[in-house]
Amino acid sequence: MAGEPVLHYFDGRGRMEPIRWLLAAAGVEFEEKFLKTRDDLARLRSDGSLMFQQVPMVEIDGMKLVQTKAILNYIASKYNLYGKDMKERAIIDMYTEGVADLEIMILYYPHMPPEEKEASLAKIKEQTRNRYFPAFEKVLKSHGQDYLVGNRLSRADIALVELLYHVEELDPGVVDNFPLLKALRSRVSNLPTVKKFLQPGSQRKPFDDAKCVESAKKIFS
């Protein structure tokens, strides 16, 4: 369908997965063009599509946007998932940056040398249980509302729920220790657009397995 955003990345989670989640939650259908070789990446670089010579890149509304945060900001603004005023946007940014700090550790984990994985996983679990999840649980407890900011769905809720799913792949059952986060995950997961995205066969990507890691090396190394 003409007009759909087109996502350029490899066939894995990486830095594109939060973009997929946000578009899906907004009910936006999108096309994906997967990089499979170094030549695919080189072609995007040579034709001027990549301002800083790197992906993710999203074609949307006549633009070729790069830089994950810029892409997410635009989508959130366009689809009314970015608060009602500057103060709410600042809080949403603060929360999503916190999510990103932990998410980046999880993103790199499958791609790390085997000898570094045990220490990395221990750090992920420790910071999840003692820093990040308690902080977000406290936010929800402090105002007693359904969503993190302004009692309405925002990109912060979507990013956090994505994180909850990803963490549980590495630390099963951890969300059970945080009842308000568990309730938020259930609430967001049952939104029709998100529920559809969570079904098998959607454009949501699985945990990066060995095959995915090897594919990424062929493109980016």
Side-chain angles (χ1 to χ4, degrees), residues 9-10 12-18 20 56 68 99-112 117 120 124 162-163 166-167 170 207-208 212-213 216:
Y9 204 60
F10 80 107
R13 283 182 179 172
R15 294 180 181 273
M16 188 67 89
E17 193 68 357
R20 297 183 184 109
T68 304
V99 167
D101 285 347
L102 183 56
E103 187 72 74
I104 200 70
M105 296 169 61
I106 297 168
L107 167 65
Y108 285 133
Y109 173 76
H111 301 264
M112 299 182 76
K117 282 191 171 182
S120 176
I124 289 169
E162 178 192 358
L163 177 68
H166 291 176
V167 168
L170 299 177
F207 186 79
D208 288 358
C212 180
V213 170

Side-chain angles (χ1 to χ4, degrees), residues 1-9 16 19 23 28-35 40 43-44 47-51 54-67 70-72 74-75 78-79:
M1 183 185 297
E4 290 181 355
V6 180
L7 281 52
H8 296 263
Y9 204 60
M16 188 67 89
I19 297 167
L23 285 168
V28 179
E29 295 187 4
F30 56 88
E31 178 186 351
E32 298 193 83
K33 292 188 176 179
F34 295 123
L35 307 179
D40 292 337
R43 275 191 287 274
L44 285 179
D47 72 12
S49 293
L50 305 179
M51 183 175 184
Q54 59 194 18
V55 288
M57 187 269 281
V58 174
E59 295 183 68
I60 184 170
D61 295 341
M63 300 179 288
K64 293 183 177 180
L65 290 180
V66 294
Q67 298 295 335
I71 297 166
L72 290 168
Y74 182 76
I75 294 166
K78 179 172 181 174
Y79 295 104

